[in-house]
Amino acid sequence: MSLSQENLKAKLDQLECHFTWELNKDDVDIQNLLNRLGEGVELDLGKEQGVARAHNFSGYVKFLLGDQKEALSHLLESEALLRKKFGDHCDKLLIVPYGNFAWVNYHMENYTECEGYLQKIQEINENFPTMSVAEVLGEKGWTFLKFSHKYYERARDVLKKAVEMDPDNSEWNAGYAIALYRTDTEPCTVDSPAVKQLRQALDIDPDDDVLKVHLGLRLLNCSKQLMKDSEKLVEEALNGSPDHPHVMRYVSMFFRDRGSVDRSIELLEKALQNSPGSCFIHHQLALCYRTKKINLQKEKRDSAEVNEACDKSIYHLEMATSLKASFIIAMSELALQYGERGDLFMAENLFEETFKIATEKKDNLNAVNFRYALYQQYSIRNEEQAINHYIQCLKTAPLSSEGTRSVHKLKKIAQNILRKNPDDWKGSKIMGLIFQERPDMCQDNSNTSTEEADEVRNNLSEIMFF
C-alpha cells in the first residue's frame, strides 16, 4: 500500500458509514438481509427517505456479496431519491451515502472518485459536524436495528441520542420505540420505557399502523384492564393497513396470543401472498399450526386433523429454515417437531447441526438447550438428559423466556421426585440450583396463569425483524 493510499485509508476510517460501524457479516444471513431491505423498498413507496435509506444499506450489502457495480447502483439511487425529495437541503442526509461511496470506490481502486467523495463530506462537515448530526445517528440506529438482533442494544442507545437531538422527528422516535420494545425484558407495565416511547412516537405520527400493533401487543401483556385499549389499537391498525405484511404479521400474533389461532392463520396466509419469501411469516405460521395441533389434541379431535396441523407446522418450519440459513430458533423448533412426529433420526441430526451453529455463533444456545430438553423429556423419555439441558438453558440465560420456562419444568420434575421420596437428594439438588439461579421463582407460584404469561412473553420475544 502506497503512502497516498495509507493516507486515504486513514481518512476513510474516520467516516461515519456502514463500513466503519463494525457490522460483522457473520452475525447475519446476508441474503436474507438483502431480501428484507428489498421488501422495505416496496413497503415504503412514497416515503423517499425510507426508500433511500434501504438503497444505501443495500449498496453496502451488495458490496459484502462482492457485487461492487450493483453496490454503486444502489448508492446512486439513494442519492437521487434524497435530492428529489429535499433538493438543496439534503446535505446532512448525504453524509452516510457519501461515506459508502468513498469506501466502495476505494476498494475498486477508483482513488480519484474516492477523494472526490471525501472532499464532499469535508465540505458538509464544515457546516454540520458529523457526530452532532441527528440524521447520521438515526441512520446508524436503524442500521443496527435492521442488521441483527445482536445489535438491538446498540440501536437503542444510538436512536436515543438521535431523539434527544431531534425530539420531533417521527422516524427516529419510531426507531427508538421499536428498539426499546425489542430490548425491554422486564415485565410489562404502562410506565415502562417501551410503552411510553411507543405512545410518544404515535403522538408524532398517529397514522403509523405498525407502531399501533406493537403498542397493542405490549399492552396485551401489561394488564387485563388494558385489553380494550389493546384491541382498539390492533383493529385500527388492521383497518388502516389491511394489506401491509408487517401489520398483518403482528396482528396475527395478537390473535394467536388471544387464542384466535384460526384468525391468525388467515392473516398470515394473506401476508404470505404479498411476501412469499418471508422466513418470519413461515415461522409464525408454523407456531400457529403447532398451537392448533395442541388445541386439537386437548379437544381429543380426529387424529387426521391433528396430523394435518402437525404436517403444516413442519412444512412452514422447513420453508423458514430454507429461506434463512442458520435460523437457529426455527431449526431447533423443527427438530423438536420431528421428534414429536417420531422421526428421531432426523431430529437428532438437526439438533446436532443446530447446537453446532448456535455454539459457533454464540447465539440462542439457551433456546436450543430448552427445546432439546423438551425432546429428551417427551420424545425420548430420558428425564436425566432433559434435566441436564434445562439446567444448561437456565445457567446460560436465567432471565430469558426459555430460562424461565426451564425453571417451571425443573420445579415440576423436582416436585415429582420429592413427592415420591422427600429425602431424594436429586430433587433437593434441583431446587437448590433454581434458588441459586432464580431465587425469585422459588416460592410456590408455578400456577397455570404464570406459565401462560411466560408463553406470551416468549411469543413476543420471537419477533426477530421489523
Side-chain angles (χ1 to χ4, degrees):
M1 184 182 291
S2 67
L3 183 60
S4 60
Q5 287 176 262
E6 287 182 0
N7 291 335
L8 205 58
K9 179 64 163 54
K11 291 180 180 179
L12 289 170
D13 287 335
Q14 300 303 311
L15 299 180
E16 281 288 332
C17 65
H18 292 80
F19 286 84
T20 62
W21 288 340
E22 298 180 345
L23 302 171
N24 187 345
K25 65 180 181 180
D26 292 332
D27 288 335
V28 70
D29 179 339
I30 295 293
Q31 189 58 53
N32 178 259
L33 173 60
L34 190 64
N35 292 341
R36 288 189 284 113
L37 290 169
E39 185 182 69
V41 169
E42 295 178 7
L43 292 176
D44 285 337
L45 288 177
K47 298 181 180 179
E48 287 88 346
Q49 190 172 349
V51 176
R53 185 184 305 115
H55 277 295
N56 184 29
F57 199 172
S58 295
Y60 173 71
V61 175
K62 280 291 186 180
F63 172 83
L64 293 180
L65 291 170
D67 195 338
Q68 296 173 337
K69 290 184 178 180
E70 192 67 21
L72 288 177
S73 177
H74 277 288
L75 295 175
L76 287 168
E77 184 67 25
S78 177
E79 180 182 12
L81 285 166
L82 291 173
R83 291 197 177 281
K84 178 182 177 181
K85 175 67 175 179
F86 299 100
D88 295 333
H89 304 287
C90 67
D91 281 356
K92 289 189 292 184
L93 297 170
L94 288 172
I95 292 174
V96 177
Y98 280 173
N100 287 339
F101 265 121
W103 270 96
V104 173
N105 277 293
Y106 172 80
H107 284 290
M108 295 177 72
E109 299 183 357
N110 298 330
Y111 300 126
T112 301
E113 287 85 349
C114 175
E115 289 177 346
Y117 281 107
L118 287 172
Q119 180 61 38
K120 290 180 180 181
I121 293 170
Q122 182 177 338
E123 292 170 1
I124 295 173
N125 284 343
E126 290 175 359
N127 297 317
F128 310 102
T130 300
M131 282 309 295
S132 64
V133 176
E135 285 77 3
V136 172
L137 292 171
E139 184 97 357
K140 189 175 185 178
W142 270 109
T143 296
F144 289 153
L145 202 57
K146 205 74 168 173
F147 192 71
S148 166
H149 67 95
K150 293 183 178 181
Y151 294 71
Y152 286 167
E153 291 186 359
R154 293 166 66 182
R156 177 197 61 203
D157 296 342
V158 172
L159 286 163
K160 180 182 179 181
K161 293 178 182 177
V163 169
E164 289 171 348
M165 294 177 63
D166 190 358
D168 297 324
N169 186 291
S170 61
E171 292 197 54
W172 314 150
N173 272 278
Y176 184 40
I178 298 299
L180 282 171
Y181 180 96
R182 294 180 180 177
T183 56
D184 185 8
T185 58
E186 297 298 319
C188 180
T189 68
V190 292
D191 295 323
S192 70
V195 170
K196 285 184 176 180
Q197 182 58 34
L198 282 165
R199 291 192 187 280
Q200 180 173 319
L202 279 169
D203 285 342
I204 296 171
D205 185 2
D207 295 325
D208 192 324
D209 290 319
V210 175
L211 288 179
K212 287 180 184 178
V213 179
H214 278 76
L215 180 56
L217 278 166
R218 182 62 66 174
L219 294 181
L220 175 65
N221 200 29
C222 277
S223 168
K224 291 182 179 179
Q225 281 71 35
L226 296 173
M227 187 63 68
K228 288 185 178 180
D229 292 340
S230 180
E231 290 175 344
K232 181 181 178 182
L233 284 163
V234 170
E235 288 173 4
E236 286 180 2
L238 190 57
N239 290 333
S241 302
D243 296 318
H244 194 300
H246 286 160
V247 171
M248 283 192 286
R249 291 176 197 177
Y250 296 109
V251 170
S252 71
M253 292 183 70
F254 176 87
F255 283 114
R256 190 185 81 208
D257 292 334
R258 288 290 312 278
S260 302
V261 67
D262 286 330
R263 176 62 170 147
S264 182
I265 289 172
E266 177 188 344
L267 289 167
L268 285 168
E269 292 284 7
K270 185 177 180 181
L272 193 62
Q273 293 176 8
N274 295 326
S275 302
S278 171
C279 61
F280 181 100
I281 297 178
H282 279 293
H283 183 222
Q284 290 301 313
L285 272 167
L287 296 178
C288 284
Y289 279 114
R290 175 174 171 77
T291 300
K292 185 170 184 175
K293 180 193 75 171
I294 293 170
N295 291 342
L296 291 170
Q297 288 173 328
K298 289 179 179 178
E299 296 169 7
K300 301 188 184 303
R301 298 283 285 274
D302 184 77
S303 60
E305 293 181 84
V306 174
N307 290 337
E308 182 183 6
C310 177
D311 290 344
K312 286 185 177 180
S313 182
I314 288 175
Y315 164 77
H316 286 292
L317 285 170
E318 289 174 338
M319 287 297 297
T321 53
S322 68
L323 288 165
K324 180 184 176 185
S326 305
F327 192 166
I328 294 170
I329 295 288
M331 289 173 69
S332 60
E333 179 64 30
L334 178 57
L336 177 61
Q337 293 203 37
Y338 281 152
E340 291 177 356
R341 194 172 64 177
D343 296 332
L344 303 185
F345 178 77
M346 294 178 68
E348 287 286 356
N349 285 342
L350 186 52
F351 267 124
E352 182 179 350
E353 180 185 355
T354 309
F355 268 114
K356 181 180 179 182
I357 294 171
T359 302
E360 289 175 350
K361 291 181 172 290
K362 299 179 180 179
D363 186 25
N364 280 313
L365 189 57
N366 57 306
V368 184
N369 269 304
F370 178 73
R371 286 172 176 80
Y372 191 62
L374 291 174
Y375 167 74
Q376 288 291 334
Q377 185 175 6
Y378 298 109
S379 296
I380 303 297
R381 304 293 180 181
N382 188 332
E383 187 174 82
E384 194 67 37
Q385 279 296 314
I387 292 171
N388 289 339
H389 285 278
Y390 285 135
I391 289 173
Q392 285 300 312
C393 175
L394 179 57
K395 287 185 173 181
T396 303
L399 297 179
S400 68
S401 60
E402 290 87 3
T404 300
R405 294 161 79 193
S406 290
V407 171
H408 288 306
K409 295 295 183 182
L410 287 169
K411 284 177 74 173
K412 286 186 176 179
I413 292 172
Q415 287 164 357
N416 286 336
I417 292 172
L418 293 172
R419 191 178 298 115
K420 295 175 183 176
N421 181 4
D423 298 323
D424 193 317
W425 64 270
K426 186 188 295 185
S428 299
K429 185 178 180 181
I430 292 171
M431 293 303 293
L433 178 68
I434 293 172
F435 179 78
Q436 179 182 333
E437 299 291 339
R438 289 293 302 271
D440 59 307
M441 294 189 67
C442 284
Q443 63 271 29
D444 187 17
N445 63 351
S446 57
N447 53 57
T448 303
S449 61
T450 300
E451 292 196 46
E452 288 175 349
D454 289 329
E455 185 66 27
V456 170
R457 280 192 287 274
N458 180 65
N459 290 339
L460 300 187
S461 73
E462 287 168 344
I463 299 177
M464 298 294 289
F465 298 108
F466 171 74

